[in-house]
Amino acid sequence: MRPSSTLIAVMIATGLGGCSLAPKYTVPEVNAPAAYKEALKDDATGHWQPALPSEAAARGEWWKVFGDAVLDRLEAEALAGNLDLAAAAARVKEARAVERRTNADRFPGISAGVGPTRQQNAPESLGVPRNGMRPEAQTVWRAQANASYEADLFGRVASSVHAAHADTQQTEALFRSVQLVLQAEVALDYFRLRELDAELEVYGRAIQLRSETADFVRHRSEAGEVTDLEVAQSEAELASARSDAMTVQRARADAEHALAVLLGKAPAGFSLAASPLKPVVLRIPAGLPSALLERRPDVSAAERAMAAANARIGVARAAYFPSINLTGTGGYEAESLSNVFKWSSRTFLLGPLVGTAVNLPLFDGGVRKGNLEGAKARYEESVADYRGRVLLAFREVEDSLSALRILATQTTVQGDAVSAASRAFDLSKVQYEDGSVAYLNVLDSERVVLGTRLGDIRLRGEQASATVNLIRALGGGWGDTPSPVALARP
């Protein structure tokens, strides 16, 4: 074949290449509801403040709606130092490198080299009779370029490139998912710390009150007005409150250590000043369920996994068709290095061994069939995973909405319980001092007050956590407009 003919063959193969045997890809239908069942009603949440993104805040910085400068600082430190996020960013770089390597198969491979070879030809290869003089061994210097190209007539390369691109998009979406989970975990741990600070404040007041009560009972005992039993009971209550406070202190230390790790810091080098939890009364509009599929990065990752699996069906189908590889070698060769680059030393080689080679597998024992069936099964698995991820997303939003809806009323009821318990304790204390009731009534009232106050704080903590979880379930935003978080570090 002459070089011009080979060039024409390459051009024809290139023009025909790139078609794909993959099935036409469409995103599967999901049964998305028209609205959320547990959506908060305006008439039930009139005391809640609407949560609106700040115009000055970058898209995705949802935690800024809480208006807490300390939380803002912690979120920034976590994005800069978290090791899980760094690993996810590295996976994105790896996926992009694989895509770049796969995309290189679209283009010819060209190499060049210079060097000598020592060769001994057989007489028959040169047309010399078998009984003739045997040619002498010779050294040949070559300077040549080699080119190879796979004509993608049946879309194997194109489908592989499409799959690699979808893999990259999936990895990027998974990075955003890790980022969103990290942001939510930082906020949850932060509000947990503030909740424990508020509990310690309550225990501090309880310890002070019980200490004063124990002193009062002790004075009455010294005056002979009460028995030693009441002294022992007051001291036991005081010691119990101190012990419970130490339990909360241990829990706070653990939470602080966990927060340090999220920030990528050693627990020994991190501490957060105590600050009791403030009520979080933000109303997060959930928007429409259909918008959730565009906003959630984990749903996007599952959808991209489907696209990659669909493209790999095309790769498996292409294996049933011939593969065409075009190769050639051209350059110079001479008996000495000084003569290599002379025009008269030019050479090229095109032929059955290094030219157009058509490879058609005829029998492989079922390898291609197994690969195709496996590719189809993996696609079906990815479809099921996608639909399951969508259902989980809807469930997480509904869970958070129902939690906030119920907590809106429960915190009010709990506040009434705290007020009633406090009044009962004040009355029992006055009556005890007057000698109208036994000390046991005071103890019971005091326990109820402590329990209701702790319950109120824990409900406030659950309210803050449910707000964070709702924003996370909505993909780090709210409303009907998707609010993707930009890749920070790949």
Side-chain angles (χ1 to χ4, degrees), residues 203 206-215 218 230-249 439 443 446-447 450:
Y203 275 115
I207 290 171
Q208 181 181 0
L209 180 61
R210 290 184 182 183
S211 179
E212 294 173 354
T213 302
D215 290 340
R218 195 177 299 110
E230 293 183 359
V231 175
Q233 287 176 329
S234 65
E235 292 176 348
E237 290 297 312
L238 174 59
S240 176
R242 287 172 174 167
S243 177
D244 290 342
M246 293 177 185
T247 299
V248 176
Q249 288 172 350
Y439 181 63
L443 293 180
E446 190 180 21
R447 290 170 187 159
L450 178 60

Side-chain angles (χ1 to χ4, degrees), residues 288-333:
L288 298 177
S290 58
L292 184 69
L293 306 184
E294 303 175 33
R295 192 184 300 115
R296 291 259 305 210
D298 57 335
V299 173
S300 297
E303 186 275 326
R304 289 290 83 197
M306 279 192 306
N310 184 79
R312 290 192 169 93
I313 294 177
V315 175
R317 284 178 173 175
Y320 281 88
F321 296 88
S323 61
I324 301 177
N325 294 286
L326 307 175
T327 60
T329 299
Y332 301 88
E333 64 179 24

Side-chain angles (χ1 to χ4, degrees), residues 378-389:
R378 283 187 289 274
Y379 173 73
E380 293 172 1
E381 179 185 3
S382 66
V383 172
D385 288 342
Y386 171 74
R387 287 176 169 157
R389 178 60 58 179

